[in-house]
Amino acid sequence: MADPVLRAGVLGVGTMGRHHARIYRELPGAELVGVGDADETRAASVADEYGTEPMAQADLLADVDVVSIAVPTRFHDDLVEAAIDRGVHVLVEKPFVEDPLRGRDLIRRARERGVTLAVGHVERYNPAVRALDEIVPELDIIAIETNRLGPPLDRDIHEDVVLDLMIHDIDVILSLLDAKLTDLSARGTQDGQYVTATLEFGDGTVASLTASRVTQEKIRTLSITARECKVNVDYGDRTVDIHRHSLPEYVVSDGDVRYRHESIVERPTVDNGEPLKAELESFLAAVRDGTRPLVDGEAGLRALELARTISATAAGEPTSEGPQ
């Protein structure tokens, strides 16, 4: 028996929401029934492009089973609450909400209503990150380093560089490590457009994160130093390299003695699927099966709370949330 087709809608069809609409239109398990946006002209344009209807928020929520919310973060909590109250399953883009207390209330409401609540940390669905699921459990991790760098943007972003960029890596790191965070330091420069953070965990693992909007090269990488090997992940290229058995040796060439290292490099096969498509497929599967989403409200809240603490620490502001 075929899975039921879920009626889907998108609220907020800017840069990210437009892709949600496109993918719902493509997925066999979904029917895109409408899109909404504060900019009615944009909603009408996207609706026309993907063969659906522009709809007001209330009308859309009354007519769908699932909804993606891709509006600015300051509007997340009210829209998520409205969807939950209508019994509509929700995927809300990151950051989950502005206020963690509101986030906790929304998680409770969703649980009480039996509504699936997922948060759009799309890097978790990056094929290179998913490949780590089979690699990391076998490792004794010593340190993790992430770099998410890029040039200045030509559009307005309400979130700072931590809540906009670094939060992706925060979420991935928290998914990889089971130990409790015990200490945190962070520094920022260029009016907070370049931030570095160091996280220390109870098992001795250290994570170093850098996010930048002032670097004239786009870099999206994660590396894991373990006792057994070093694992390098390139989010953009969707590749994983594993360096093992580094062997130092001295080589004599034409009477000169030179030092070199040789190592075995493994390159696991990584799927080349679109992360956002995998995210929406996973969301729909969780709705159909009544299972927990890969990135649920609790995961989104953990990443948010830690990102807020890093952001405040980097700015020299007092923090009340502390290590997570």
Side-chain angles (χ1 to χ4, degrees):
M1 182 177 178
D3 291 327
V5 173
L6 295 170
R7 294 171 61 81
V10 181
L11 290 174
V13 285
T15 303
M16 196 67 178
R18 179 185 297 267
H19 290 295
H20 282 252
R22 169 180 60 81
I23 292 170
Y24 280 133
R25 175 71 171 171
E26 296 171 354
L27 290 177
E31 177 190 358
L32 179 64
V33 299
V35 299
D37 196 281
D39 184 334
E40 295 181 359
T41 300
R42 180 164 58 192
S45 174
V46 173
D48 182 64
E49 183 176 1
Y50 296 115
T52 188
E53 297 295 324
M55 302 175 71
Q57 170 196 323
D59 294 336
L60 186 145
L61 292 179
D63 202 29
V64 299
D65 304 307
V66 301
V67 66
S68 286
I69 294 176
V71 300
T73 307
R74 62 186 182 277
F75 303 120
H76 282 187
D77 50 3
D78 288 342
L79 289 182
V80 172
E81 182 176 4
I84 292 171
D85 288 347
R86 291 301 301 252
V88 175
H89 305 283
V90 185
L91 188 152
V92 58
E93 274 297 337
K94 64 82 192 167
F96 177 16
V97 288
E98 283 191 320
D99 181 358
L101 291 178
R102 286 285 282 138
R104 293 206 175 278
D105 180 62
L106 293 172
I107 291 169
R108 178 187 59 79
R109 285 172 176 264
R111 185 182 304 116
E112 291 174 353
R113 291 296 304 269
V115 166
T116 300
L117 174 58
V119 182
H121 282 278
V122 71
E123 290 289 28
R124 287 267 218 115
Y125 299 86
N126 189 308
V129 175
R130 298 307 301 269
L132 296 179
D133 292 343
E134 298 182 4
I135 299 169
V136 167
E138 306 300 322
L139 301 182
D140 183 4
I141 297 176
I142 297 170
I144 299 177
E145 179 181 354
T146 68
N147 288 281
R148 190 168 293 264
L149 319 175
L153 299 175
D154 59 0
R155 57 190 174 90
D156 291 333
I157 295 289
H158 293 284
E159 286 82 30
D160 65 23
V161 74
V162 176
L163 288 163
D164 179 39
L165 296 181
M166 188 183 287
I167 194 170
H168 284 293
D169 301 307
I170 291 169
D171 173 64
V172 171
I173 287 172
L174 293 179
S175 75
L176 295 176
L177 301 177
D178 293 328
K180 180 179 176 59
L181 180 64
T182 57
D183 198 12
L184 177 158
S185 62
R187 294 290 184 271
T189 188
Q190 294 295 302
D191 294 325
Q193 296 301 296
Y194 188 105
V195 173
T196 64
T198 300
L199 313 180
E200 299 179 30
F201 294 85
D203 62 356
T205 304
V206 175
S208 302
L209 303 87
T210 302
S212 169
R213 291 196 190 119
V214 293
T215 302
Q216 296 299 329
E217 180 185 8
K218 186 174 181 179
I219 298 173
R220 301 285 189 269
T221 59
L222 176 147
S223 66
I224 299 172
T225 298
R227 298 192 185 281
E228 303 87 349
C229 62
K230 185 173 186 291
V231 182
N232 295 327
V233 173
D234 190 307
Y235 291 104
D237 292 344
R238 299 174 193 170
T239 58
V240 178
D241 291 343
I242 305 174
H243 295 253
R244 299 184 188 272
H245 307 301
S246 179
L247 302 174
E249 64 175 339
Y250 290 94
V251 179
V252 178
S253 177
D254 296 329
D256 294 331
V257 178
R258 299 179 182 180
Y259 177 79
R260 72 180 182 186
H261 267 84
E262 289 189 357
S263 62
I264 298 172
V265 180
E266 302 173 13
R267 292 187 173 88
T269 300
V270 175
D271 294 335
N272 197 34
E274 181 182 1
L276 183 58
K277 183 176 181 181
E279 179 180 71
L280 294 183
E281 287 176 327
S282 178
F283 170 53
L284 296 179
V287 170
R288 290 193 192 94
D289 301 339
T291 55
R292 185 174 181 174
L294 179 64
V295 188
D296 62 4
E298 292 286 357
L301 192 60
R302 284 194 299 273
L304 171 66
E305 289 175 333
L306 183 48
R308 281 165 51 95
T309 301
I310 290 172
S311 183
T313 302
E317 300 171 357
T319 61
S320 58
E321 290 161 1
Q324 307 302 306

